[in-house]
Every structure is written in structure tokens, then in C-alpha cells.
Amino acid sequence: MSKRPVSLKDLAKELGVSISTVSRALKNHPDISPEVSARIQQLASERNYSPNPLAMGLLKQQTKMIGVIVPDLVTHFYSSIISGIESIAKQRGYYILISSSNESVEKEKESIQNLLNTRVEGIIACLSQETTSFSHFEPLLKNELPLVFFDRVCMTDRVSSVVANNEEAAYQITRHFVENGCRKIAYISGPSQLNISQQRIQGYQRGLHECGLSANNLLLQQCNLSTSEATQATARLLDLPERPDAIFGINDTVAFAAMKEIKRRGLRIPEDIALIGFTDEFHATVVDPALTSITHPTFEIGQEAARLFFRQIDMPSAPPVQSILKTKLVVRKSSQRKP
Amino acid sequence: MSKRPVSLKDLAKELGVSISTVSRALKNHPDISPEVSARIQQLASERNYSPNPLAMGLLKQQTKMIGVIVPDLVTHFYSSIISGIESIAKQRGYYILISSSNESVEKEKESIQNLLNTRVEGIIACLSQETTSFSHFEPLLKNELPLVFFDRVCMTDRVSSVVANNEEAAYQITRHFVENGCRKIAYISGPSQLNISQQRIQGYQRGLHECGLSANNLLLQQCNLSTSEATQATARLLDLPERPDAIFGINDTVAFAAMKEIKRRGLRIPEDIALIGFTDEFHATVVDPALTSITHPTFEIGQEAARLFFRQIDMPSAPPVQSILKTKLVVRKSSQRKP
DNA sequence: ATCACTTGCGCAAAGGTTTCCGCAAAGCAT
DNA sequence: ATGCTTTGCGGAAACCTTTGCGCAAGTGAT
């Protein structure tokens, strides 16, 4: 087995002083004489002493751990958000424990239970796409543990959250399509229980309305955010007697699946069909044609979620807030029909 | 503040028995009578008791935490490996603490220090590209803490590691180029201190040699794995009086940067220049033309690294092993000149 | 009735840290 | 010289769990 790290007791014994004296000396407590303090501090640094976080956690009843639940870790979107969370957590000396729900409610429940058992001080989460009821988050609320949702959120009246300006972004996309001469604008949405699906549909419909276009239900497809369903949804759209001249995909997976299917059929982007995704920088620039998209400030979403988390740590009784972050429509080749 | 989770003491007091009785009852110790045991177990489940991991950790001197250091979290390659590590860790009831070095040695050192201070039971790491000396890993070895490297490794005589069959893969790529009629095969490598750079160069050169081609130093470029340097390296190759007819990029970033630069100059892939990357499934299929590449078994790399980690936990004195995982050359459009 | 043994439970220590309190010695004022 | 405050340090409890040991009551045999 590995050697035990040096403890206060070890230092105390070696110097012939008491444990409390060592403890105080290391925090420059005025009760300790400068000479003793100096000897203790030197030995501590020689021996590479660092306080045992388990002991501190036990005493102070805090673990300095944040549980983070994401639907999928292996994705630019979520890993970038996690990166943002971590950057803020680090500043406050907190560590994060990541748990992936793999888009399953069951795993989401499990994750909460496991994280709670590990005594995290609270949780930052993004709902799985299956999640329709939220009772498994109640134990957190009951125990007054900090809880923050991001992107896919719920119970916004009781829980702080950070989201993108989904409605506005979808509205912009629709207008952009129209300005580029599109008239039959389709939208491939996600599970209807997700706030992001709902909000983007609303923006999409407002855009159509304000541009004097009627909403055609055939142009509003839905899928479960998997590549295969997204491909099928695209196929359904392309098979329509009145083929759309623009498609707007709710996220990365959907947009790329749509792109592949459109190309597979020998249709041109953007000439035959303009395409826009809700996605992030890296992927969008790598594909051909480069994908016009709504870029999420993913890193900032993570940072903001962490800030809201610490707001609850610092002010447990503060009312929940909803932080809405601005996205940006980055126009690239996939939607540009006019110069 | 949040309410304290229920402890053995709480249960004991409520039932008028001692703490040790409660503890034993919950593990079905034969010393406890069935009646008492039943009462205790029922109350425990009612109150949702779960043992405090800090107390257990303090007692057993183990935290059930593994530190994981990656050069960059926001990447399919690493997040997928992490996912693999987590899948094995979970089976053993371990949690992982992720730390990103951001390709900086300084941050790598910091990460090690932080993880050690958090009392992780060991570390699984991938070296930053800046790392040339390895003394910051010594404290782990000195304290006999489990350590496993993956992908970018070092001190393989003393530390277990898991890598891809880099030499063989690079060899296959070279042969594949030749079989598709390429003769001037270029390679854009990474920092020379990395094992992956070295091994792939060796396979590349063996391939050239066995195919009767001479190694031209002008065709061997180096970069720091950033997009900008990769683009410059590509530019240098394309500016050569004898332009290469094939380029082999050491990883994702490099391959995509090369692709963009080649396209920007109006050259065709694969007709003018065949291109192959060392990358993973998702990205390769999304670009146009689809990128022929060596796919890493990323999830399995993570799993294997975790297995080697637990091997050290279980058998602290077992000698280090190096696990070499097979990659696969997946031929797509970017390198196919012949049908 | 006595002894030996089993059954069923409690006590206490250990793991590392912080912090309230107590206590001795030294310093100062009267 | 006496009383008071300050200075500088140690003792011990608390956080929660596991486990070796001790101890009482009960069981069975002689």
C-alpha cells in the first residue's frame, strides 16, 4: 500500500509540541510565538504537509465538491460547458464530480443518488431528453442543497437556471432564411417536453408570422436528437411534395445528419436547400459547406451556472433567478444565397 | 445552510441502541438479534441513511477517487477516453476527478499537486505537449500511488501505460497512400518529445522504405498541434517546388487544418492531394470529402487505462505493463484515388 | 448448584482537523 | 508583595464510521 501523507500529529510529535499548536502555527494564529511558529512552518513545508480534506470535510460538514450531470459527456457542447463550470469552481477551491445520464431518466436518478451519497454540496444539471417529471430533484430542494439547471431546464420558479435566448435565436434564423429568399422553411425539433424545443418553435413561428408566411405543420418535424431519427426526419421533409427550401435543425447532431442526407440525395446547399444549425464554432467550420449556425456561448453558460451555484452557497435563501445568455447568428456558406 | 444527512448516531439515538449496534445491524452482522436488526434496517431506509464517505475515507485511508489529467477536455478524443475510464471506475465504486492541463506543463504540475492534496488514490494521465521532463510525477512513485499514462506516455519502464499501435498505423497509412498511386508522401508531425510523434514517424519511414521510396526531409513537417501552426505547415508543404501528392496529419486538428488549407488553394482531395488523419469516427464522417483516418478505440483506451489503474490498486507491487491497442485504418473518400 | 460457553449488545479507539476553554508563567500596576 | 492581565501553549470535544474487546445475561451440561 501507499504511504500515508504527513499529518498534524506527525509534525507535532516530531517537534514535541501539541497538535493544536501546529494547527495554529500554520494559520499564523497570534497565540503562537514567532519562534515556535517558524519552526513548525519550516518542518511543514519540508515534509510537504497539506491538510487532509476528509478531516476538514467531516469537521466543517462540507466537501467542496459540486456534482455535475450532463446528458452526454462526449460532445463539444457539454464538455465546453463543463470546462466553464470548472474554471469558476477552481477559483473557489471546489472540485467537480461529473456524471453522465446518457439521455436516460433512470441514469439521471441514479446519478443524483450517487452524487448525494458522495456528499456533494449541490448539483448543476442539464436534463436528459427523456425527463418529463422532476420529483427526483426534490430531495435536493428538501435538504436545501444548491441546484442549478442549464440549457434544458425545469421548475424555473423554484430553481435557478441558465439558458440561451432560444426564442430570439430561432426568430433570427427564420428571418435570415426569408431574407435569403427562402419561403418554405422547415424546422426539425426535439422532444416536446424540453424547454429548448418549445422556445425555439415559438421563435420559429413568430418569425414566420412576422414575415407573412403561414406555418405549415408538415414542415415541423420532430425527432429524439439521435442521428438516425434526425436523418429520417430530414428524409420525410425531402420527400414532401412541396420540398422545403430551408431547414433549421435544433442542434449539432440534427444539423449534421440533415446535411449528410441532403448531400446524399444530390441536392445542393444552399442553392437547393439552405441549412442552419444550433451548434458551436468548431464543428460548423469543419464541414462543407461551412454551416451557418447559432453559436452558444458554451463556456460562459458553464461559468454562469457555476456563479449561480455559488450564489446559493453564499446566500442560501436568495430567490431563484433565470439567466438568459445571448447567442449569435454566425452566417456562413450553408445559408447564403445572396452575396 | 443545508440540513445534515442522517448519521448512525441519529439512528442510534432514535432507537435507544448504541452506534456500534446500528453499524453492525446494517451489515447483517450475526451478533445482532434479528428483531433489533430489522428495526434498525427499517428506520435506516426510512430516513434514507447512507454512510458518510468522508468518515469512511478517514478511517480506511481511501477516498475512492481517481485523478485524471488530460491536455484538453473539450475534445472528442479525450472526453471519450474519460468516458471509458469512468465506466470501469463506476463498476468499482470509484469516482474520477478531472483536471485539464490545457497542454501546459505548469498546469500539469499544478493539477498533480491539487489532486494529491485532494487525496486521490492515484492518477491516470496524458502528458501535455510541452512536457519534456517528468520529475513532477516522482511524488506519486515515491508514495507508491498508482499511476497510469495513456496516449502520450513516458517512463514506460516504471509506469504502466496504454497506447495505440502508432508505428504500425503510420506504416499502414503510408502503404495505403502508395497503393493509391501516391509517391510524394508528406507527414505533419507534432512536438518531437512526444512518443506519438516519434512512433508515427518511424512507421511512416518504414512504410516509405519498404515501398522503395526515399525519405525526403522537406516532406516531414512539424507543428505544435495548434490549428494555426498546422495550417502553416500545410502551406509550407503546398509551396514546395515538388508539391506532395499525399499528406498524413498526426491528429484531428492537423488533418482538418490541412484540409481547409488545401481547399482554400483550390486543390482537390484526393485527386491532387490525398489526405489521411489520425482521428476519430465522428469528425471524419462530417467533413467533405469524408476523411480516411486511423480510428482510435478511444473508449477502450480509457477502459484499459482504468483496468491498469486497478491492477495497481489490487497488486501494488506488480511490474508495470504497456498495453498496446489496435487502431483501424478506415478508408474514406479523402484518400481513395482508385475504386 | 456450579462451570463453561454462547448470545447480544456497548465501550472506546482510531483516522485528521479546528476551536473553545483552561492553565501556567510572566508582565505590570499598586 | 499582592492582585490583575497578558502571553503562549495543551487538552478535549466534535464531525462519522468501523471493529476489537469486554461484559452481562442466558443456555446447556455435569
Side-chain angles (χ1 to χ4, degrees):
Chain A
M1 279 306 281
S2 56
K3 291 162 197 155
R4 190 176 50 80
V6 55
S7 70
L8 288 183
K9 193 197 278 190
D10 299 330
L11 299 177
K13 193 185 291 181
E14 190 160 346
L15 289 173
V17 296
S18 78
I19 294 178
S20 29
T21 301
V22 178
S23 173
R24 277 187 265 253
L26 293 179
K27 357 182 74 84
N28 290 313
H29 194 287
D31 265 12
I32 308 301
S33 70
E35 301 80 39
V36 175
S37 207
R39 279 172 56 218
I40 293 178
Q41 297 201 12
Q42 190 188 339
L43 188 69
S45 87
E46 270 175 26
R47 293 276 181 282
N48 244 305
Y49 170 79
S50 91
N52 186 321
L54 282 78
M56 300 263 308
L58 203 54
L59 193 66
K60 299 263 184 74
Q61 296 284 34
Q62 53 171 349
T63 52
K64 301 253 176 196
M65 299 257 182
I66 310 175
V68 176
I69 304 178
V70 290
D72 183 6
L73 177 59
V74 188
T75 238
H76 182 86
F77 184 74
Y78 293 115
S79 57
S80 170
I81 288 178
I82 288 176
S83 200
I85 295 176
E86 212 225 344
S87 74
I88 298 290
K90 202 169 195 173
Q91 291 174 14
R92 302 264 311 222
Y94 274 66
Y95 269 89
I96 62 179
L97 238 40
I98 301 168
S99 207
S100 171
S101 70
N102 280 94
E103 299 283 14
S104 132
V105 209
E106 274 322 307
K107 281 217 161 196
E108 186 173 283
K109 291 182 186 174
E110 247 182 65
S111 294
I112 295 177
Q113 200 45 249
N114 285 335
L115 290 172
L116 250 30
N117 288 348
T118 321
R119 304 294 196 266
V120 293
E121 291 185 33
I123 288 181
I124 300 178
C126 175
L127 298 177
S128 94
Q129 67 167 271
E130 287 179 10
T131 306
T132 51
S133 85
F134 316 113
S135 55
H136 46 301
F137 288 102
E138 288 296 341
L140 283 157
L141 300 178
K142 213 178 56 192
N143 292 337
E144 294 166 37
L145 291 174
L147 175 61
V148 176
F149 289 116
F150 65 87
D151 198 49
R152 305 178 189 167
V153 305
C154 64
M155 308 192 287
T156 46
D157 52 325
R158 300 162 61 199
V159 181
S160 285
S161 59
V162 27
V163 292
N165 59 344
N166 290 301
E167 202 271 353
E168 174 66 18
Y171 171 75
Q172 281 178 31
I173 288 178
T174 313
R175 288 211 71 117
H176 173 81
F177 274 141
V178 174
E179 282 158 15
N180 274 268
C182 303
R183 286 291 171 273
K184 288 171 289 186
I185 301 167
Y187 171 45
I188 303 179
S189 181
S192 59
Q193 71 268 20
L194 295 182
N195 58 306
I196 52 176
S197 300
Q198 299 291 359
Q199 292 165 356
R200 289 172 199 175
I201 285 183
Q202 284 168 21
Y204 162 69
Q205 290 174 337
R206 179 162 69 96
L208 291 181
H209 187 73
E210 290 195 10
C211 295
L213 297 171
S214 62
N216 177 350
N217 267 339
L218 290 172
L219 293 178
L220 206 166
Q221 293 289 333
Q222 193 169 329
C223 73
N224 71 353
L225 305 183
S226 73
T227 297
S228 64
E229 283 211 13
T231 303
Q232 288 167 32
T234 309
R236 285 196 299 274
L237 287 173
L238 299 183
D239 285 337
L240 248 36
E242 286 213 58
R243 204 179 63 201
D245 54 9
I247 296 181
F248 158 29
I250 188 173
N251 73 359
D252 281 45
T253 320
V254 173
F256 291 135
M259 181 176 276
K260 277 191 205 170
E261 180 64 15
I262 294 170
K263 282 191 194 172
R264 197 182 65 80
R265 300 199 176 199
L267 297 169
R268 293 164 307 164
I269 304 173
E271 291 80 0
D272 298 320
I273 299 192
L275 183 66
I276 299 187
F278 242 85
T279 174
D280 57 73
E281 286 295 307
F282 182 74
H283 290 155
T285 59
V286 132
V287 293
D288 191 46
L291 187 68
T292 294
S293 68
I294 292 289
T295 63
H296 279 76
T298 45
F299 192 80
E300 286 76 14
I301 291 178
Q303 290 194 311
E304 181 64 11
R307 280 193 211 100
L308 292 184
F309 181 90
F310 286 115
R311 178 170 172 274
Q312 285 182 63
I313 291 272
D314 297 333
M315 320 186 312
S317 57
V321 295
Q322 178 157 47
S323 195
I324 301 178
L325 265 51
K326 282 213 178 72
T327 56
K328 213 172 90 185
L329 176 67
V330 179
V331 179
R332 300 197 186 83
K333 205 174 156 195
S334 75
S335 71
Q336 251 178 326
R337 291 193 179 168
K338 301 180 178 175
Chain B
M1 278 305 281
S2 57
K3 291 164 197 154
R4 190 177 49 80
V6 56
S7 71
L8 288 183
K9 192 198 278 190
D10 299 330
L11 299 177
K13 192 185 292 181
E14 192 160 345
L15 289 173
V17 297
S18 77
I19 295 177
S20 31
T21 301
V22 178
S23 173
R24 277 187 264 253
L26 293 179
K27 2 181 70 88
N28 289 313
H29 194 288
D31 265 12
I32 307 300
S33 70
E35 301 80 41
V36 175
S37 208
R39 280 172 54 216
I40 293 179
Q41 298 200 12
Q42 190 188 340
L43 187 69
S45 87
E46 270 175 26
R47 294 276 183 280
N48 245 304
Y49 170 78
S50 92
N52 186 320
L54 282 78
M56 300 265 307
L58 204 54
L59 194 67
K60 299 262 183 74
Q61 297 285 33
Q62 53 170 352
T63 52
K64 301 252 176 197
M65 299 257 181
I66 311 174
V68 175
I69 303 178
V70 290
D72 182 6
L73 177 58
V74 188
T75 237
H76 182 86
F77 184 75
Y78 293 114
S79 56
S80 170
I81 288 178
I82 288 176
S83 199
I85 295 176
E86 211 225 343
S87 73
I88 299 290
K90 201 168 194 172
Q91 289 175 15
R92 301 265 312 223
Y94 274 66
Y95 268 89
I96 62 179
L97 238 38
I98 301 168
S99 208
S100 172
S101 70
N102 280 94
E103 299 283 14
S104 134
V105 208
E106 275 321 308
K107 280 217 160 194
E108 186 172 285
K109 291 180 186 173
E110 247 181 64
S111 294
I112 295 176
Q113 199 45 250
N114 285 334
L115 290 172
L116 249 31
N117 287 349
T118 322
R119 303 295 196 266
V120 293
E121 291 185 34
I123 287 181
I124 300 178
C126 175
L127 298 177
S128 94
Q129 68 166 270
E130 287 180 10
T131 306
T132 51
S133 85
F134 315 114
S135 54
H136 47 300
F137 288 103
E138 287 297 341
L140 282 157
L141 300 178
K142 212 178 58 192
N143 291 338
E144 293 166 37
L145 291 175
L147 175 61
V148 176
F149 289 116
F150 65 87
D151 197 49
R152 306 179 190 165
V153 305
C154 64
M155 308 192 286
T156 47
D157 52 324
R158 301 162 62 199
V159 181
S160 285
S161 58
V162 26
V163 293
N165 59 346
N166 290 301
E167 202 271 352
E168 175 67 18
Y171 171 76
Q172 280 178 32
I173 288 178
T174 313
R175 289 210 71 118
H176 173 80
F177 275 140
V178 173
E179 282 158 13
N180 274 267
C182 303
R183 287 292 172 271
K184 289 170 290 187
I185 301 167
Y187 171 45
I188 303 178
S189 181
S192 59
Q193 71 268 19
L194 294 182
N195 59 305
I196 52 175
S197 299
Q198 299 290 0
Q199 291 164 356
R200 289 172 199 177
I201 284 183
Q202 283 169 21
Y204 162 69
Q205 290 174 338
R206 179 163 69 94
L208 292 181
H209 187 74
E210 290 195 10
C211 294
L213 297 171
S214 62
N216 177 349
N217 266 339
L218 290 173
L219 293 179
L220 205 168
Q221 293 290 334
Q222 194 170 327
C223 72
N224 71 353
L225 304 183
S226 73
T227 297
S228 64
E229 284 211 12
T231 303
Q232 289 168 30
T234 309
R236 285 197 299 275
L237 287 173
L238 300 183
D239 285 337
L240 248 36
E242 285 215 56
R243 203 178 64 200
D245 54 8
I247 296 181
F248 159 29
I250 187 173
N251 73 359
D252 281 45
T253 320
V254 172
F256 292 136
M259 182 177 275
K260 277 191 205 170
E261 180 64 16
I262 295 170
K263 282 190 193 173
R264 197 182 66 80
R265 299 200 176 199
L267 297 169
R268 293 164 307 165
I269 304 174
E271 292 81 0
D272 298 319
I273 299 192
L275 183 65
I276 298 186
F278 242 86
T279 174
D280 56 73
E281 286 295 307
F282 182 73
H283 290 154
T285 58
V286 133
V287 294
D288 189 46
L291 187 68
T292 293
S293 68
I294 293 288
T295 64
H296 279 75
T298 45
F299 192 80
E300 287 76 14
I301 290 178
Q303 290 194 311
E304 181 65 11
R307 280 193 210 100
L308 292 183
F309 182 90
F310 286 116
R311 179 171 171 274
Q312 285 182 63
I313 291 273
D314 298 332
M315 320 186 312
S317 57
V321 296
Q322 178 158 47
S323 195
I324 301 178
L325 265 50
K326 281 213 179 73
T327 56
K328 213 172 90 186
L329 176 66
V330 179
V331 179
R332 300 198 185 83
K333 207 175 155 196
S334 75
S335 70
Q336 250 177 327
R337 291 194 179 168
K338 302 178 176 175

